[in-house]
Amino acid sequence: MTAFYNEHDPYSAQWLRNLIAAGHIAPGVVDERDIQDIEPYELAGFTQVHMFAGIGVWSAALRRNGWPDDRPIWTGSAPCFPAGTLVLTMRGYVPIEDVLVGDDVLTHRARWRRVSATGSAVSPLVRVRGQGHWGLEATPSHPFLTGDDEWTPADKLSGKRWRTISEVPVQAIPPVENERGVLFDRGRWRATGWKNDRTIYLGRYASESEARARRRAALDAGEIDVRGGDGADPTTLGFARFLGYWVGDGWTSRDSVFLCGAKGDGPLLAEILSGAWLACSPSIERTTARARFGSKALVGWLNRHFGSGATEKRLPAWLHGAPEPYRAAFLSGYLEADGHREGAVSRWTTTSRALAIGVRVLLNQQRVSASITKHTPKRINIIQGRRVSERPFYRVTAYETARSFQFGDCHGIGFVRSVEPCEAARVYNLAVDGDESYTADGIVVHNCQPFSNAGKREGTKDARHLFPVWKALIAQCRPSVVISEQVASKDGREWLGTVSLDLEALGFAVGASDLCAAGFGEAHLRQRIYFVGLADDDDTGLEGRAGMSERGNQRALGPGGLVSGLEHPHVAGEQWWDAPGGKQPLRHLDCRTDENDAICDQGKIAERWRDVDWLLCRNPAGEPSWRPVESGTFPLAHGITNRMGKLRAYGNALDLETASAFVACVKEICNGI
């Protein structure tokens, strides 16, 4: 064994083992402990030490440049909320551990922005209780929005006022794609319907949209009868009321939609169904009123956007972006199904955490104060002769008048009552383009990486700044070469100054470059500071070494320099490429086409993106969508069963092309290593 890999994330660690077994990176052992638990003597006998190893990109970059596995070098890439915390994304409320790079999340500026990276670590937690949440757990230093531009660490929130979501950008209501009655036949679209159990021919049309419009007009005019869910139009207020009732007391089977109510609710169900253009007559059973109608299209639509099963119900992002009357109609239907009103106070009960949070956000959007309490019963009930253990449930309470809860331009403003410590757990964090903020269970928070452009940007003051631990290992083990990288923010550059002084005090000569992945043919920016420390036993410093400038603190540009190739990237431009019909982002090019093969042949797209792998995702409307990822990425992750863990590990990975270019320059500096 020649290499020691330290990586605490279990998915990344398993990926490392796969890469070692496949022979893609240096052979070695994978250690999943916190770096603070590693003793210097444990590293004896290893020629390569990779701290914060990720998925082994530093080792791959070394091998690509002919760096022998038995040549000494150390590398590192130094790093929130516990699993289950819900983040509002364009695809709805998603557990933070399942948020992916590329997802759009709602930020503190009430706009959608792309997730650029994800991360996780094991950390102590605090539980924050306040208006709008029964107890949100976070790391003590995680910043919460408490003013127009004021961010407060979680452990300092007591007595402050945190911000909740009360404004969401406008979004279109997705249609129900009902295939019944519209058929493609001999080059044209045929529209049909039914009247008095007879088929009615409505005509043939050049496009599907024309055929559907004709069928909708026939339904509105009474030319044909509504059957089951054929008349469903999700944009109407009547349908919004139906949605609210279905979320509260409805379910689906393979091809049918059900509503249920008390025995005397038959007329109410009939009114709701009629208002939503859904054909069904409620039936009265022994203890309930029930309605059932068939529609495979509507079943799929409901399950996709609102979930299935009482504990899995949720609200889609587009509902928050719907017009105010539509949201009010939904809340009205939900109150009729699963709530009750006492004067100026309304209450709902649900076993779904996501639904409780979504309803509270809807209420805040209506400028109504709302709180959530969590209840964990321990009793067993007997229902119709069956023993039933009660699930934990959430109670949402809305107050038409609340003096202590206030509203700003785009946020609710709630009082934080208490902060208390709780047990350590694995936590997750997101980096977000531009705003560097997102929502956790509907509460507005900031990214909290120590050196990112996020939150308080405490940098070296942050408890998660682990370079001092790494430095202590370097000081005792005395490696001859150390390379690393850090985010290229203001705090990252200040961090580099401190690290340089520390390493120079240990007898290392240090050089660095600020590099952009787009300059090396990648389809993203990923701006990072790369640095190298060389053990300076002869006391000559980096000045005068091959490829270095007169002064070690200046960048060396051009052939043979530290950032050789930066001014001559593999592709023209950074993120936009010349394509037929004009410039397009690389991620929108379908590299499987002959047309784009021709573009690749012209050298306008990096060779490695010619034969991309295609990853099946879902777009914001919940429909299947294919996205390109670099060729050969996922076969190397065989054996990792958790898809989200695999994607998280890939999203956090160091950029191989940039790292390889930097390693090539380091090798040149080291005079023929």
Side-chain angles (χ1 to χ4, degrees):
M1 296 294 182
T2 60
F4 178 91
Y5 299 91
N6 173 247
E7 174 53 53
H8 67 267
D9 181 79
Y11 302 110
S12 297
Q14 181 58 43
W15 201 333
L16 283 169
R17 295 184 183 99
N18 291 345
L19 291 165
I20 292 170
H24 293 293
I25 59 177
V29 299
V30 179
D31 184 286
E32 296 186 38
R33 291 175 296 167
D34 190 301
I35 187 176
Q36 298 175 86
D37 297 329
I38 297 173
E39 298 293 338
Y41 73 85
E42 297 179 87
L43 304 178
F46 292 101
T47 54
Q48 292 188 8
V49 174
H50 302 285
M51 294 297 185
F52 322 103
I55 58 172
V57 174
W58 275 125
S59 181
L62 290 165
R63 279 193 160 190
R64 176 182 284 193
N65 286 280
W67 191 291
D69 291 344
D70 58 357
R71 183 73 185 191
I73 191 168
W74 281 33
T75 73
S77 299
C80 321
F81 289 88
T85 303
L86 296 170
V87 177
L88 181 54
T89 75
M90 285 283 280
R91 55 191 178 103
Y93 289 94
V94 177
I96 192 168
E97 66 272 21
D98 293 340
V99 175
L100 304 177
V101 172
D103 276 335
D104 289 304
V105 298
L106 189 70
T107 75
H108 72 291
R109 300 185 187 278
R111 58 188 184 183
W112 300 104
R113 287 295 181 267
R114 179 181 176 275
V115 174
S116 58
T118 63
S120 72
V122 175
S123 174
L125 298 174
V126 294
R127 184 176 294 110
V128 184
R129 290 189 172 93
Q131 288 179 299
H133 205 286
W134 65 93
L136 182 58
E137 295 180 358
T139 53
S141 60
H142 201 107
F144 285 66
L145 184 63
T146 54
D148 289 340
D149 233 349
E150 176 185 343
W151 301 89
T152 302
D155 60 357
K156 302 292 193 300
L157 277 174
S158 184
K160 297 275 190 177
R161 290 186 174 273
W162 60 12
R163 268 46 177 178
T164 66
I165 305 170
S166 67
E167 183 178 323
V168 178
V170 174
Q171 287 184 256
I173 299 169
V176 176
E177 298 295 344
N178 192 341
E179 298 179 359
R180 182 154 41 177
V182 176
L183 176 69
F184 188 70
D185 179 35
R186 290 178 291 178
R188 305 279 286 180
W189 290 91
R190 185 177 68 193
T192 60
W194 297 267
K195 186 74 173 181
N196 299 324
D197 294 327
R198 296 179 58 188
T199 300
I200 304 296
Y201 176 72
L202 299 173
R204 291 163 61 86
Y205 301 89
S207 69
E208 183 182 9
S209 59
E210 289 178 298
R212 292 194 183 282
R214 174 67 181 94
R215 196 168 189 281
R216 168 59 59 185
L219 284 169
D220 292 344
E223 296 178 50
I224 58 176
D225 293 333
V226 175
R227 300 181 68 180
D230 287 355
D233 181 359
T235 63
T236 65
L237 297 185
F239 193 86
R241 183 186 177 193
F242 157 76
L243 280 178
Y245 196 99
W246 181 86
V247 166
D249 212 347
W251 67 95
T252 61
S253 64
R254 187 174 63 88
D255 56 5
S256 296
V257 179
F258 296 82
L259 295 183
C260 189
K263 190 171 184 177
D265 285 344
L268 174 63
L269 294 182
E271 178 186 329
I272 290 173
L273 292 167
S274 174
W277 277 83
L278 300 171
C280 178
S281 298
S283 61
I284 306 302
E285 303 188 6
R286 186 165 65 89
T287 59
T288 63
R290 179 177 294 189
R292 172 185 177 179
F293 59 89
S295 175
K296 288 184 178 180
L298 186 55
V299 166
W301 189 91
L302 288 170
N303 291 343
R304 185 164 61 250
H305 293 288
F306 291 87
S308 60
T311 60
E312 302 301 322
K313 292 279 184 70
R314 61 187 184 276
L315 302 187
W318 59 258
L319 180 59
H320 293 297
E324 186 277 334
Y326 193 94
R327 301 193 304 264
F330 176 90
L331 287 169
S332 173
Y334 187 46
L335 184 66
E336 290 171 315
D338 208 18
H340 65 280
R341 187 177 181 86
E342 300 173 0
V345 178
S346 301
R347 291 186 173 87
W348 296 263
T349 300
T350 176
T351 56
S352 168
R353 172 177 177 152
L355 181 56
I357 291 166
V359 169
R360 195 208 71 217
V361 171
L362 274 183
L363 290 164
N364 283 175
Q365 287 184 268
Q366 303 299 101
R367 315 294 280 189
V368 174
S369 169
S371 65
I372 306 177
T373 54
K374 182 179 180 181
H375 303 266
T376 308
K378 298 181 179 180
R379 62 177 181 259
I380 297 177
N381 288 334
I382 306 297
I383 300 178
Q384 293 184 348
R386 295 178 292 119
R387 291 170 58 85
V388 179
S389 298
E390 290 189 63
R391 296 178 180 270
F393 65 90
Y394 302 86
R395 178 169 292 138
V396 183
T397 305
Y399 308 89
E400 290 186 5
T401 57
R403 289 177 297 177
S404 59
F405 195 91
Q406 305 163 9
F407 288 95
D409 292 338
C410 60
H411 298 121
I413 305 172
F415 184 73
V416 177
R417 297 186 176 90
S418 66
V419 178
E420 59 188 30
C422 51
E423 293 183 4
R426 178 164 295 281
V427 294
Y428 301 83
N429 193 24
L430 310 176
V432 180
D433 286 347
D435 293 350
E436 290 291 1
S437 61
Y438 54 97
T439 62
D441 284 0
I443 309 297
V444 182
V445 300
H446 223 304
N447 176 316
C448 71
Q449 290 283 39
F451 303 102
S452 72
N453 290 312
K456 302 299 286 185
R457 300 190 306 180
E458 292 182 324
T460 55
K461 300 175 185 177
D462 195 292
R464 290 159 296 138
H465 171 43
L466 296 175
F467 180 75
V469 182
W470 194 27
K471 183 186 75 172
L473 293 173
I474 292 171
Q476 296 189 56
C477 297
R478 302 295 302 172
S480 57
V481 184
V482 176
I483 56 177
S484 185
E485 56 88 36
Q486 185 53 268
V487 292
S489 65
K490 176 178 179 292
D491 292 292
R493 290 188 289 273
E494 292 177 357
W495 172 86
L496 176 63
T498 301
V499 167
S500 297
L501 291 174
D502 286 344
L503 289 176
E504 287 170 1
L506 295 175
F508 287 83
V510 180
S513 267
D514 188 339
L515 304 180
C516 172
F520 298 90
E522 297 292 24
H524 50 82
L525 295 178
R526 207 163 184 88
Q527 198 83 23
R528 292 292 189 271
I529 297 172
Y530 288 77
F531 75 88
V532 56
L534 303 179
D536 195 15
D537 296 333
D538 58 3
D539 205 28
T540 59
L542 280 181
E543 296 87 342
R545 289 177 182 263
M548 290 307 297
S549 61
E550 289 293 323
R551 297 179 59 189
N553 62 351
Q554 295 178 344
R555 294 179 182 172
L557 296 174
L562 189 57
V563 287
S564 173
L566 181 58
E567 295 186 338
H568 306 282
H570 298 288
V571 294
E574 291 185 355
Q575 289 181 296
W576 296 80
W577 319 95
D578 292 319
K583 289 183 177 292
Q584 296 185 27
L586 175 62
R587 63 181 181 274
H588 291 165
L589 290 177
D590 184 347
C591 294
R592 296 169 295 184
T593 66
D594 293 338
E595 182 177 65
N596 286 326
D597 278 345
I599 298 174
C600 292
D601 290 338
Q602 296 170 20
K604 293 181 180 179
I605 296 180
E607 181 71 19
R608 65 189 170 280
W609 287 96
R610 175 195 295 273
D611 299 315
V612 297
D613 291 336
W614 292 87
L615 174 67
L616 179 61
C617 306
R618 291 199 176 274
N619 63 22
E623 301 162 337
S625 175
W626 290 92
R627 294 184 181 178
V629 295
E630 190 172 345
S631 179
T633 297
F634 292 109
L636 303 183
H638 58 79
I640 300 178
T641 56
N642 186 298
R643 176 174 177 271
M644 296 303 164
K646 183 193 303 183
L647 294 176
R648 185 170 65 246
Y650 179 59
N652 285 335
L654 185 66
D655 177 69
L656 177 59
E657 296 303 315
T658 316
S660 294
F662 184 75
V663 167
C665 295
V666 171
K667 182 180 177 183
E668 195 170 329
I669 292 168
C670 294
N671 288 324
I673 291 180

